[in-house]
Each structure stands twice: as structure tokens, then as C-alpha cells.
């Protein structure tokens, strides 16, 4: 299968991981078996790394918060940032980890936790890593959009139409 068709399959699955191969095949004009085979192949190649539900936690009774932590580190000779990243992403509290450009080297996104758990994680696990120079912790207040999907109600224009 050519790379464009693969990208189209990936785009559809990224929008909705619940699409069945027959639905994808119908949307892209491909054979179902061809789509199944390609999805399996991309799972083996670790191009498709998993499937998940996008949850709007603000509409649940869950009162835990998410945090975004920026880290400034000293890269290691011969390993750059990879060994440091490996230390950090091993923690089960870490939802996502990104190497960034700019004032900080890493952005760590924590799973939902209490303020006390976040403070403990930063002070006793992240800040004590030898290569970490500084941290900046930001609390997520409201998620308006995630994975390209708005999580808030879109306001409808309620003004009355006036015509001359």
C-alpha cells in the first residue's frame, strides 16, 4: 500500500479509533482485507501505538487535576536527552513526555492527580533527578480542545436577525 493511503487510514483512526476496517475501506474506496492487513502491519511496526477514548473529565465528578511541568536539564555526553527521558517516562504518573525547543528542555504532562500528589511527584521524583536544573509546574484549569475535538459547548449566536 502506498504511503498516502496509509496516512489516510491513520488520519481516520486518529479521529475515531473505533472505526471498523469495513468503514475505513468504504470511506477510502479500498478492500476490507487490504485495510485490515495494513492496520495490523502498522500495529506491528509501532506506528499505531494504541487506541483510547477521549474523556471530558470536567463533566464527571472526578475532582483531580492535570499538570504540565517544564524541566530544564543538563544533557548527558553521548546520550543527549534520551537517558534522562527514559528515567522520566518510566514513572506511572507521567501521561506524556516531550523534548522541546525553547527555555525548557522537557514538557511532562501528569495524569490526573490531587494537588498534593503533584507536589510530591515534582519535589521527590522529578526535582531530585541529577540532571534536572529547574522545574516550572502549571496546573491545567480548563481543557477547551483536546486531540482536535472541542470539549466545551459551542455557543450558538442567539441574537435576533435584524433586516432593514
Amino acid at each position: 500500500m502506498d504511503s498516502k493511503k496509509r496516512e489516510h487510514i491513520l488520519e481516520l483512526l486518529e479521529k475515531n479509533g473505533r472505526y471498523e476496517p469495513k468503514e475505513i475501506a468504504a470511506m477510502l474506496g479500498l478492500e476490507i482485507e487490504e485495510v485490515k492487513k495494513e492496520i495490523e502491519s502498522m500495529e506491528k511496526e509501532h506506528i499505531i501505538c494504541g487506541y483510547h477514548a477521549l474523556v471530558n473529565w470536567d463533566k464527571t465528578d472526578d475532582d483531580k487535576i492535570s499538570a504540565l511541568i517544564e524541566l530544564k536539564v543538563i544533557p548527558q555526553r553521548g546520550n543527549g536527552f534520551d537517558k534522562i527521558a527514559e528515567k522520566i517516562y518510566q514513572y506511572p504518573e507521567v501521561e506524556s513526555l516531550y523534548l522541546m525547543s525553547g527555555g525548557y528542555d522537557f514538557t511532562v504532562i501528569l495524569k490526573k492527580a490531587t494537588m498534593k500528589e503533584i507536589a510530591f511527584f515534582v519535589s521527590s521524583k522529578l526535582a531530585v533527578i541529577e540532571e534536572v536544573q529547574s522545574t516550572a509546574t502549571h496546573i491545567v484549569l480548563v481543557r477547551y480542545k483536546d486531540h482536535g475535538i472541542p470539549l466545551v459547548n459551542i455557543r450558538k449566536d442567539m441574537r435576533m436577525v435584524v433586516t432593514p
Side-chain angles (χ1 to χ4, degrees):
M1 181 176 286
D2 70 47
S3 63
K4 275 290 180 203
K5 288 178 183 174
R6 267 185 157 206
E7 286 177 25
H8 289 308
I9 292 171
L10 291 171
E11 287 168 358
L12 289 171
L13 286 174
E14 190 174 52
K15 281 183 185 172
N16 184 352
R18 297 181 72 180
Y19 278 139
E20 295 289 329
K22 72 177 181 183
E23 294 172 297
I24 294 171
M27 286 187 261
L28 300 178
L30 302 171
E31 296 295 321
I32 295 171
E33 287 305 315
E34 183 182 16
V35 171
K36 281 183 183 175
K37 185 179 169 188
E38 203 58 36
I39 290 172
E40 287 173 11
S41 175
M42 289 191 285
E43 288 171 346
K44 285 179 185 166
E45 294 172 38
H46 213 239
I47 294 171
I48 296 174
C49 303
Y51 302 89
H52 71 275
L54 179 59
V55 178
N56 187 351
W57 290 103
D58 293 342
K59 294 196 172 202
T60 69
D61 293 334
D62 184 275
D63 59 354
K64 293 183 176 177
I65 56 175
S66 297
L68 185 150
I69 303 161
E70 296 173 311
L71 296 177
K72 190 167 188 67
V73 301
I74 301 168
Q76 296 176 325
R77 184 179 299 272
N79 291 315
F81 295 99
D82 294 344
K83 286 286 183 189
I84 304 165
E86 195 176 320
K87 287 180 189 175
I88 297 167
Y89 70 66
Q90 302 280 340
Y91 290 116
E93 296 92 337
V94 174
E95 177 81 21
S96 303
L97 175 65
Y98 305 104
L99 178 63
M100 308 295 290
S101 63
Y104 286 89
D105 301 305
F106 287 108
T107 296
V108 180
I109 299 176
L110 288 191
K111 285 183 174 178
K112 297 179 66 52
T114 65
M115 187 67 103
K116 192 174 184 177
E117 291 168 332
I118 291 169
F120 177 78
F121 179 77
V122 173
S123 63
S124 66
K125 294 183 179 177
L126 283 183
V128 296
I129 294 173
E130 188 177 327
E131 296 87 357
V132 172
Q133 288 185 308
S134 65
T135 67
T137 302
H138 308 277
I139 302 300
V140 176
L141 299 176
V142 176
R143 289 185 320 152
Y144 291 102
K145 190 175 185 180
D146 200 349
H147 288 82
I149 298 173
L151 299 177
V152 293
N153 292 333
I154 298 169
R155 292 186 200 168
K156 292 182 180 174
D157 189 355
M158 300 300 285
R159 295 177 293 177
M160 187 167 58
V161 177
V162 178
T163 56

